[in-house]
Amino acid sequence: MSAAPIDFYFDFVSPYGYFASRRIDALGESLGRRVRWRAILLGPILKETGAAPFTTGPSKARYGTHDWARIARADGAPYVFPDPFPYATLALTRCFYVLEDRDPALAHAFAKRAYEAVFTAGRPVTEPAEVVAIAAAAGADPTGLAEAMTSPAAKERLKAEIAAAAEAGVIGSPFFIVDGEPFWGSDRMDELRRWVETGGW
Amino acid sequence: MSAAPIDFYFDFVSPYGYFASRRIDALGESLGRRVRWRAILLGPILKETGAAPFTTGPSKARYGTHDWARIARADGAPYVFPDPFPYATLALTRCFYVLEDRDPALAHAFAKRAYEAVFTAGRPVTEPAEVVAIAAAAGADPTGLAEAMTSPAAKERLKAEIAAAAEAGVIGSPFFIVDGEPFWGSDRMDELRRWVETGGW
């Protein structure tokens, strides 16, 4: 797998990101591409694009709710819509990068567990103590983790990651970039596959 | 084709709508479903959802521009990005319904020609005289058409159509509803096909 990785951007609050997270590693594997998971916060990203999240406006929320359940059924994905929704993903996202600095594989395992915890139990994970528990379950040493998550370094790291994502053109979740080519949405993963397989068009 | 039609909602300013318009009739044909073309104005629809069009924010505009060109290449669709963009589609949309009242087939032919005029020449069609010329080319009697387009009846008709679309849950362009099932985006047409073919999931 020496070719360029697939960058996979996601917000822990994003149901579309959750569905993509269940399929992206297998997709990378089948394409011979490493997948770099990048947790982001949609808030600052959407502020730049002027877009509204799926919770703005009753019609859009209704469509999203319907579409997410339909995707879950199509994918055979365990899925319980989180209540309340939306919820703050700051603690999860900061923890992701603290763990990545220790070991990228740890951050990856944490992200998968975090998404599962939220979307299979339907229970948002927002409190630092809950976040640390998920990290521990993923294999991390919980000692000092809560403190590390709120350190100035962790705050700066997340800011820099979000700025880098915005600079790379990320405008939603999930968002993929491979060989410089951007794809927005879990419904574009087949297109990404064709792009890599054919060398683009 | 006695089964329920596919309702195909589109705004004449929407590149995704243009790409969908080139494929929707064949899709309906292959599924044994009639396609009801419904021209809408995204402005009032987006106001309700709080969403922003693809022209808001440089990142989103950049992604859209890139994505539209990529779809055009994938589809082998003639495509020149209109300049200026966006542009007003009020005259085109009102004309669509004036023609539909005369003959739905006429409105359909007009819509196809209007989309082609804009997106193959890259030239917005906003002036009533240009709109009438397209209608005439589509087979309509141009006599009195410009007047009919600005009549109180035409204004009310369009308002009612947009209200009905919003009521049906339409939140973007293109948007499809078949057997009560909503699909948003030209990238969901294969999903719509599977839905109808399998009876849903």
Side-chain angles (χ1 to χ4, degrees), chain A residues 119-151:
Chain A
F119 286 99
T120 69
R123 210 177 51 80
V125 174
T126 55
E127 295 305 316
E130 300 173 296
V131 172
V132 169
I134 289 174
D141 177 356
T143 315
L145 193 50
E147 292 69 29
M149 281 161 52
T150 53
S151 70

Side-chain angles (χ1 to χ4, degrees), chain A residues 16 48-54 56-60 62-64 66-67 69-71 73-74 166-167 169-171 175 180-188 191 195 201, chain B residues 16 48-54 56-60 62-64 66-67 69-71 73-74 166-167 169-171 175 180-188 191 195 201:
Chain A
Y16 292 120
E48 195 275 335
T49 64
F54 258 88
T56 309
S59 297
K60 206 167 176 183
R62 204 152 45 228
Y63 181 81
H66 185 87
D67 194 37
R70 183 168 60 190
I71 292 172
R73 296 195 304 273
E167 176 66 27
V170 173
I171 55 171
F175 198 96
E181 191 70 15
F183 299 90
W184 179 22
S186 61
D187 46 10
R188 294 297 187 93
E191 186 183 26
W195 185 271
W201 54 83
Chain B
Y16 291 120
E48 195 276 334
T49 66
F54 258 88
T56 309
S59 297
K60 204 165 178 185
R62 205 154 43 229
Y63 182 81
H66 185 86
D67 194 36
R70 184 169 59 190
I71 292 172
R73 295 195 304 274
E167 175 67 27
V170 173
I171 55 172
F175 198 97
E181 191 69 16
F183 299 91
W184 178 24
S186 60
D187 46 11
R188 294 299 187 93
E191 187 183 25
W195 186 271
W201 55 81

